[in-house]
Amino acid sequence: MTRYLPLIFTGVLLNATAQLALKQGMRQIGHFDFTPASLFAMSWRIGTNGYVVLGLVCYVVSVGVWLLALSRVEVSFAYPMLSVGYIVTAVAAFYFFGEALTPLRIAGIAVIIAGVYMISRT
């Protein structure tokens, strides 16, 4: 099963990239209220933002990669590997967006790494 880790992690990285792209797109758009009056205008702005489109494309491709992975490995092995996405996203958000990476978050990342290691050894 470990021979499929590159496939699984490709899906994870695509998913993390999607999150980061969506965040950047929404940073460009800014805060908005979902009200009936602004629904069309905001939907148009969101749907035509390049980063949002990139994020959605990454999601679609990641689903395809995930389906390939699930056709090859047990879901009880593959699914916990998705938690690596939390690590990638937290670290990337720290570097790209200046989001906090507190000692408690770092400890959580360490726990995730330990868990992924244990699952990958089974």
Side-chain angles (χ1 to χ4, degrees):
M1 272 194 270
T2 56
R3 70 181 181 178
Y4 294 112
L5 283 175
L7 181 64
I8 293 168
F9 288 138
T10 297
V12 168
L13 290 175
L14 282 165
N15 197 301
T17 301
Q19 284 295 321
L20 296 165
L22 291 173
K23 174 62 178 177
Q24 179 59 26
M26 296 315 297
R27 285 178 66 177
Q28 289 179 345
I29 291 169
H31 177 80
F32 67 95
D33 295 316
F34 250 151
T35 63
S38 69
L39 186 60
F40 179 77
M42 285 312 300
S43 296
W44 181 257
R45 283 188 66 201
I46 292 168
T48 58
N49 180 281
Y51 284 105
V52 171
V53 171
L54 173 65
L56 294 175
V57 168
C58 285
Y59 268 137
V60 169
V61 174
S62 77
V63 169
V65 171
W66 186 245
L67 292 173
L68 284 171
L70 289 179
S71 73
R72 290 161 172 75
V73 300
E74 297 172 357
V75 71
S76 61
F77 175 81
Y79 189 69
M81 299 299 163
L82 291 178
S83 61
V84 171
Y86 298 131
I87 299 166
V88 172
T89 305
V91 172
F94 172 77
Y95 285 108
F96 294 129
F97 305 133
E99 294 185 7
L101 198 54
T102 63
L104 189 57
R105 287 184 184 179
I106 293 170
I109 288 170
V111 170
I112 291 170
I113 291 170
V116 168
Y117 175 77
M118 286 187 273
I119 290 168
S120 70
R121 307 306 327 150
T122 60

